Amino acid sequence: QVQLVESGGGLVQAGGSLRLSCAASGRTFSGYGMGWFRQAPGKEREFVATIRSTGTTYYANSVKGRFTISRDNAKNTVYLQMNSLKPEDTAVYYCAAGVPWATQNKGDFSSWGQGTQVTVSS
């Protein structure tokens, strides 16, 4: 399994931006599909974005046009650029690694990071 460590969370005002990073261990990072999920208090963990090993991306409708997922295979890192943040984006954000053809399903992912808190104030 791959080890994942997220960073970049914090407190930001509505309309602001943050970039999350997820550093992965191991030499086979490029073969993984990578995803970002989030979990707000009292809610289930939900899909945010996925980038396949091919570079194909998928987004939740709630973040489409505002968030961008990308990966740097040379650095074993996946990013989530979050713009035009809203209070409803407040959650713990989790990075995940899984099958190369990963989509929006949590079952496609076998390794998870510890999460990073994002808080958007109104």
Side-chain angles (χ1 to χ4, degrees):
Q1 283 197 350
V2 62
Q3 304 298 315
L4 303 171
V5 179
E6 302 98 334
S7 61
L11 173 64
V12 64
Q13 288 188 335
S17 298
L18 281 175
R19 188 177 81 156
L20 305 183
S21 300
C22 173
S25 64
R27 293 176 290 180
T28 58
F29 174 79
S30 62
Y32 286 100
M34 300 297 298
W36 287 97
F37 290 75
R38 66 187 181 186
Q39 187 166 17
K43 295 187 177 181
E44 291 191 0
R45 192 170 300 188
E46 66 175 8
F47 166 73
V48 175
T50 292
I51 184 165
R52 290 182 166 177
S53 60
T54 57
T56 300
T57 57
Y58 298 90
Y59 295 94
N61 287 335
S62 59
V63 307
K64 200 171 294 184
R66 300 188 297 123
F67 291 11
T68 302
I69 187 171
S70 61
R71 64 191 300 161
D72 185 336
N73 290 334
K75 296 183 178 180
N76 282 12
T77 301
V78 63
Y79 303 97
L80 185 68
Q81 177 67 44
M82 305 185 294
N83 298 329
S84 302
L85 282 161
K86 304 175 181 180
E88 52 263 43
D89 294 320
T90 295
V92 176
Y93 283 70
Y94 296 90
C95 172
V99 296
W101 56 89
T103 58
Q104 76 276 17
N105 297 317
K106 289 190 289 289
D108 291 343
F109 299 92
S110 56
S111 298
W112 294 82
Q114 82 289 350
T116 185
Q117 177 70 47
V118 171
T119 303
V120 184
S121 64
S122 57

